[in-house]
Amino acid sequence: MGKQANLYTFADDDTLTKTLRSFVLQCQNAGLERHGAFKVAVSGGSLPNTLAEALLAPSNGTAEDTVRFDKWEIFFADERAVPLDHDDSNYRLLKDELIDKIPEDMGKPDVHTIDVQYLDDVQEMADQYQEELMRSFAAKDSVKLPIFDLILLGCGPDGHTCSLFPNHELLRESDAWVAAISDSPKPPAKRITFTLPVVTHGIKIAFVATGEGKKDILKKILDSDEGRSLPCGLVNEGGAEKVSWFTDSKAVQGVGYPRRGSL
């Protein structure tokens, strides 16, 4: 059997957020060492709230445990074609839950939002966001794919992640970095999303999934052959040991997949 995704399970939210903080900061510090910046992509859902709890907690004073937001470049692994102040906006969610709460002395991240002048042309919006990635990761012809220091994801009850949905044709997209979707099975219908190759090329890829509502889909993704073809399963397959799942015990009740003891 080849290398596989890591599953970490915690008895309570407090232990999960502390470990997630250590993990994110390890990725941050490796990025700073590599290229003087931390290039991270995030999705929506409950993730921004968990991130805020993890990252805004007091530091123990060491360099390893210091969040350097001034060095962060934040991108969105998917975004909805809505104004930035709209309730459905992943940017607004991250802004409300995390960015607006960052104390001044921690610095402010550089946040890459969608260009709202293209709300009515979701393909153009995807193309423009891809251009944004190119500016940060060098021209597309010199870099086959952008390589993020960390991509932080959630997992939907149907096994979707980013705006990559089960059995959708976008799962086969291999040329574009950012794709448009105008028939999302979950509203709003119009969105943009990273493609699977971009997600699986992250140096580290982390899923955060908590609560009893996740146990059926996690059992499917982690324990069944059928689950391997779901978007989250495809990320596990493509990212292998670069992928880590941060879960609480309720989310993995009945899951047989082997747990990892520590980071």
Side-chain angles (χ1 to χ4, degrees), residues 46-202:
S46 56
L47 182 68
N49 178 259
T50 308
L51 274 182
E53 283 180 26
L55 298 170
L56 300 179
S59 162
N60 67 14
T62 63
E64 292 77 27
D65 192 52
T66 300
V67 186
R68 298 282 308 278
F69 280 122
D70 58 316
K71 299 288 187 188
W72 284 45
E73 266 197 70
I74 301 177
F75 291 83
F76 292 90
D78 73 316
E79 183 56 287
R80 291 82 182 275
V82 294
L84 296 178
D85 59 357
H86 193 280
D87 284 348
D88 286 328
S89 163
N90 281 343
Y91 164 72
R92 179 181 170 179
L93 186 61
L94 189 74
K95 181 177 184 292
D96 289 353
E97 296 285 359
L98 175 64
I99 296 164
D100 286 353
K101 295 176 182 172
I102 298 172
E104 244 171 70
D105 61 353
M106 288 177 87
K108 284 285 186 214
D110 183 8
V111 183
H112 297 265
T113 60
I114 53 167
D115 189 333
V116 291
Q117 66 175 309
Y118 300 111
L119 289 179
D120 295 328
D121 185 346
V122 74
Q123 184 57 58
E124 187 58 35
M125 181 187 286
D127 293 345
Q128 291 294 329
Y129 206 69
Q130 179 164 298
E131 293 282 333
E132 189 79 8
L133 286 183
M134 286 181 197
R135 281 191 284 276
S136 182
F137 288 92
K140 187 169 190 283
D141 55 8
S142 65
V143 177
K144 191 172 182 303
L145 287 161
I147 298 178
F148 281 89
D149 297 311
L150 174 62
I151 298 182
L152 287 157
L153 303 170
C155 164
D158 57 353
H160 86 265
T161 192
C162 305
S163 284
L164 297 168
F165 291 92
N167 304 315
H168 198 280
E169 62 184 7
L170 278 188
L171 292 173
R172 294 187 294 278
E173 175 59 59
S174 57
D175 292 330
W177 292 0
V178 181
I181 176 169
S182 49
D183 58 353
S184 163
K186 183 183 172 191
K190 292 184 174 183
R191 302 154 173 245
I192 63 168
T193 182
F194 283 4
T195 56
L196 203 49
V198 171
V199 175
T200 58
H201 270 73

Side-chain angles (χ1 to χ4, degrees), residues 10 12-20 50 210 246-248:
F10 306 95
D12 54 71
D13 288 351
D14 193 40
T15 320
L16 187 152
T17 51
K18 280 182 180 150
T19 315
L20 183 64
T50 308
T210 57
F246 291 84
T247 64
D248 62 3

Side-chain angles (χ1 to χ4, degrees), residues 32-53:
L32 294 181
E33 205 158 291
R34 232 180 342 259
H35 43 225
F38 180 43
K39 298 189 180 200
V40 58
V42 298
S43 56
S46 56
L47 182 68
N49 178 259
T50 308
L51 274 182
E53 283 180 26

Side-chain angles (χ1 to χ4, degrees), residues 231-242:
C232 287
L234 293 169
V235 174
N236 280 350
E237 204 82 0
E241 76 279 7
K242 300 187 300 175

